[in-house]
Amino acid sequence: MNEKMLKLGNNRSIIRELFEFSKQKKAELGDDKVFDFSLGNPSVPPADCVNETLIDLLKNEDPCYVHGYTSAPGDVEVRNAIANDLNSRYGTSYDASMIYMTCGAAASLCITIRALIENSTDEILAVAPFFPEYRVFAEAAGATFKVVPADLKSFEINFDELVKIINPNTKGIIINSPNNPSGVVYSKNSLMKLAELLSEKQKEYNHPIYIICDEPYREIAYDNIEVPHIPSLYNNTIICYSYSKSLSLPGERIGYILTPNTLDDYKNIYAACLGAGRAYGYVCAPSIFQKLIAKCANQTSNMSAYAENRDILYNGLTKIGFECVYPQGAFYLFVKSPEKDSMSFMEKAKKYNLIIVPSNSFGVDGYVRLSYCVSKDTIVNSLPAFAELMKEYK
Ligand code: PLP
């Protein structure tokens, strides 16, 4: 068997590990005694459009159409509906020929990276902190994965480090904003600076450098903060999108890749994505959810509960003395560990039935991530436990 795959299969991600631990603890102690902040599983129900459309499809459409194969890149009506939604929001001119339906952001990323990588010297960069699976996806696609160390002051893109790392082998850089795990939304200024740097380097190296824009949290942004549409700032951008978070559908596995017409050679990039999707066996994303998206592309779940959770958790923890990054989007709070070793902090937190994720796998040491897509009661009831935990450090 393949040693690399065996290793991946045997070493579960720490997030999954903690989630399993929490399930075990809940069975022992009761659900309300364990405060599980491990997993980014949406806690608000899908928009009404989701169940209404599903019922309508099941009741009123031909089952062979509803459950049947679609075209390999997805139903053309669905891709048109998505393109129209994007055009109405961003003033763009996208169409169905630029959209490829996928099984969520994970598949979008795997396909996109595979479509771009030519050989193992090709490098994919990620800005820390980052979603840990990027390393798995990039390496499985045959790329060399490199980390741009975090800017620990702002958690925006660390340009001092990026200019040191970028080189003629750089094929692409993954950008995730609103960010998992920091909650930071990259400012338009940062993104324009990135566009300027990459444009210079494209000329210098005489080949394209792609921004791979992973944006499953695009619609989860607070206080009317702008989440810029990156293809409008930089030509060689590919969007990897998912409805897992915006419509609360993570288990249904539906998303898309957008290869916009701003890309140099966008028709061939799209064709390479078709090829990569085919090579991975990812053709024809779940049929019924494609048809649902055609009706619900412009909808989101009600995000107000996340905003309320953010305020309660951020205010509660900073009051006790924890240092936290102020989240502008997504549903994660990045908290500085009161001791250097965040693994040890995570273990201490377990004694108070607080399940939190150490930051090492996100490419930063000394922090923990709390997913606040949980009930408001979980957050409110966890605060005394956090206060007890903090006493250990005073
Ligand atoms: N990218 C980021 C930043 C994520 O947080 C996640 C999931 O949590 C994914 C990608 C994968 O999303 P999906 O479930 O749509 O595959």
Side-chain angles (χ1 to χ4, degrees):
M1 70 201 81
N2 182 293
E3 284 300 319
K4 275 190 199 156
M5 295 302 139
L6 178 62
K7 203 168 151 210
L8 269 181
N10 279 336
N11 297 342
R12 244 198 321 221
S13 90
I14 180 100
I15 301 173
R16 290 273 159 194
E17 206 72 63
L18 285 164
F19 180 59
E20 294 305 322
F21 174 83
S22 140
K23 275 205 290 197
Q24 211 179 312
K25 273 277 167 199
K26 281 180 178 171
E28 255 172 56
L29 303 173
D31 281 2
D32 58 333
K33 301 286 182 305
V34 180
F35 310 109
D36 182 0
F37 295 100
S38 64
L39 210 59
N41 220 354
S43 55
V44 300
D48 291 344
C49 176
V50 168
N51 281 353
E52 286 164 11
T53 308
L54 272 179
I55 290 166
D56 181 51
L57 285 167
L58 291 172
K59 273 195 175 160
N60 301 320
E61 296 286 350
D62 173 2
C64 291
Y65 161 75
V66 169
H67 300 294
Y69 284 126
T70 66
S71 308
D75 252 2
V76 73
E77 294 82 19
V78 178
R79 293 184 284 135
N80 265 324
I82 293 170
N84 290 341
D85 174 51
L86 294 171
N87 293 339
S88 70
R89 288 157 68 180
Y90 302 120
T92 45
S93 55
Y94 305 145
D95 64 39
S97 74
M98 301 163 207
I99 291 174
Y100 181 98
M101 301 306 295
T102 64
C103 300
S108 301
L109 287 159
C110 289
I111 292 172
T112 301
I113 299 171
R114 188 69 194 90
L116 298 178
I117 294 304
E118 289 170 280
N119 54 59
S120 62
T121 53
D122 287 345
E123 294 177 3
I124 294 292
L125 314 184
V127 180
F130 58 85
F131 180 57
E133 296 301 279
Y134 292 163
R135 182 185 296 280
V136 178
F137 300 160
E139 290 179 353
T144 298
F145 182 74
K146 286 200 170 164
V147 175
V148 180
D151 175 340
L152 295 175
K153 284 208 182 81
S154 65
F155 285 93
E156 291 252 9
I157 300 163
N158 189 337
F159 286 97
D160 292 341
E161 295 293 342
L162 176 57
V163 290
K164 284 189 226 160
I165 288 177
I166 196 163
N167 72 77
N169 290 328
T170 306
K171 196 82 197 209
I173 176 165
I174 306 175
I175 294 296
N176 170 226
S177 169
N179 184 264
N180 171 11
S182 72
V184 165
V185 175
Y186 294 155
S187 67
K188 195 167 184 179
N189 270 350
S190 285
L191 294 168
M192 280 164 51
K193 200 170 160 185
L194 178 66
E196 206 176 305
L197 173 71
L198 296 184
S199 300
E200 262 171 39
K201 294 291 174 188
Q202 291 194 128
K203 268 200 205 122
E204 185 183 331
Y205 305 147
N206 200 25
H207 66 71
I209 301 176
Y210 299 95
I211 293 183
I212 300 164
C213 185
D214 177 30
E215 49 184 38
Y217 302 97
R218 184 172 69 204
E219 283 79 18
I220 311 180
Y222 308 119
D223 312 320
N224 295 321
I225 193 165
E226 184 190 5
V227 180
H229 185 58
I230 302 183
S232 306
L233 305 176
Y234 181 69
N235 61 336
N236 280 328
T237 301
I238 301 171
I239 301 280
C240 294
Y241 187 76
S242 158
Y243 294 94
S244 294
K245 318 289 172 168
S246 62
L247 276 178
S248 306
L249 293 174
E252 310 300 356
R253 315 309 299 140
I254 191 80
Y256 63 82
I257 300 167
L258 168 71
T259 56
N261 46 357
T262 47
L263 277 167
D264 299 341
D265 206 14
Y266 77 91
K267 287 190 178 152
N268 278 333
I269 298 282
Y270 185 80
C273 286
L274 281 180
R278 190 177 161 198
Y280 276 146
Y282 269 150
V283 290
C284 183
S287 176
I288 194 166
F289 281 90
Q290 285 192 45
K291 278 137 194 155
L292 179 145
I293 293 302
K295 298 277 186 315
C296 307
N298 63 352
Q299 307 270 322
T300 68
S301 309
N302 179 355
M303 307 296 181
S304 57
Y306 297 141
E308 191 184 10
N309 283 0
R310 171 196 69 165
D311 292 342
I312 300 170
L313 191 62
Y314 178 86
N315 293 336
L317 292 190
T318 48
K319 204 164 150 196
I320 298 165
F322 285 102
E323 213 180 290
C324 310
V325 181
Y326 188 65
Q328 300 158 307
F331 36 53
Y332 305 103
L333 185 67
F334 212 42
V335 181
K336 191 158 187 201
S337 165
E339 62 181 299
K340 217 172 160 205
D341 180 357
S342 58
M343 289 294 274
S344 153
F345 177 49
M346 175 269 285
E347 287 299 339
K348 284 202 183 96
K350 276 185 183 168
K351 287 197 290 182
Y352 302 89
N353 299 316
L354 294 164
I355 314 299
I356 57 182
V357 181
S359 63
N360 313 45
S361 58
F362 300 108
V364 177
D365 289 336
Y367 283 78
V368 288
R369 185 193 79 173
L370 277 60
S371 296
Y372 55 80
C373 43
V374 295
S375 71
K376 181 174 156 187
D377 282 353
T378 300
I379 296 190
V380 171
N381 297 335
S382 73
L383 292 175
F386 276 110
E388 285 305 306
L389 172 63
M390 192 50 156
K391 279 187 193 158
E392 294 206 20
Y393 296 94
K394 285 199 167 154

